[in-house]
Amino acid sequence: VYRLRRPDGSEVWLRDQLRLSDGGGSSTIVGSMADITEQKVAQSDRAVAQSMHEAVVETAFNAMIAIDADGRVIDFNPAAERLFGHSRAAAIGRDASDLLVSPRHRRRLLAEMRRYRDSESDLPFGRRIAMELLNADGDVVTTEVAISVVNVRGAPVFLADIRDVRDRVRAAHEARRLNQLLRDAVES
C-alpha cells in the first residue's frame, strides 16, 4: 500500500499487486494498481470517531456502564470506577445486578431488562430514575440512573448513565432539618 501526493497537494492511496509470469523462456511482470483512497479515508474517519467516543466516555463526570442482553458488564468507565470502587477489569464480564444493584432493586431491574429483551417493551428511557446501588464495600450509593438501549449485532446493549446524588440528598435533608428547626423556633 502506497500513499502518494498529487501535484495539487491531495493524497491518493494505492494498492499494488505484482505477479511474475514465466511463459516459455521469457519472464513477464504483470501488475495492477487500485485506488483505495476512499477506503483509507473511511477507515481514518472511523478511527477518529472511535477516539472521540472513547474520550467522551473516559472523561465523563457520570459513571457510564454498558450491559449486554444477559446482564453482564461490557464497559465500565473511570467515573464508574471512582463511584463504585471496582476496577474496569474486575467489573467487565460480571453480572451487573450482582455487582451494583442493591437487593431491594435487583428483582425489579432484572425483570425490566428481561421484559425488554423478550418483547422490547418500554424501559424508563429519557428520564432519570432514583436507584440505590452498591459500591465495592457494600455501601449504598444513592444515584439517578438514565437507561438507554442500542442494538448491537441484533442484541440489545443497555447503557446506564449514573449520577451520584448523595450530596444533593444530604443537602435536601439538611434543608428540611433547618426548616423544621426554624418552624419550631417560630412556634415557641
Side-chain angles (χ1 to χ4, degrees), residues 2 4 6 10 27 47 74 98 101-103 116 125 134-135 138 140 142 147 158 185-186:
Y2 301 94
L4 302 174
R6 293 181 176 143
S10 64
S27 296
I74 56 176
D98 291 341
V101 181
S102 66
Y116 180 84
F125 299 131
L134 301 177
N135 67 16
V140 171
T142 307
I147 300 171
F158 301 93
V186 169

Side-chain angles (χ1 to χ4, degrees), residues 3-57:
R3 181 176 63 178
L4 302 174
R5 189 170 308 279
R6 293 181 176 143
D8 68 1
S10 64
E11 292 180 341
V12 62
W13 287 87
L14 301 171
R15 175 179 289 131
D16 69 355
Q17 191 171 21
L18 298 174
R19 185 173 45 110
L20 182 61
S21 176
D22 193 13
S26 66
S27 296
T28 306
I29 297 177
V30 177
S32 66
M33 294 189 111
D35 183 345
I36 60 167
T37 304
E38 285 185 25
Q39 291 170 293
K40 290 301 253 182
V41 168
Q43 185 180 35
S44 176
D45 289 349
R46 281 192 304 276
V48 168
Q50 179 67 28
S51 294
M52 289 174 59
H53 167 77
E54 288 173 4
V56 167
V57 170

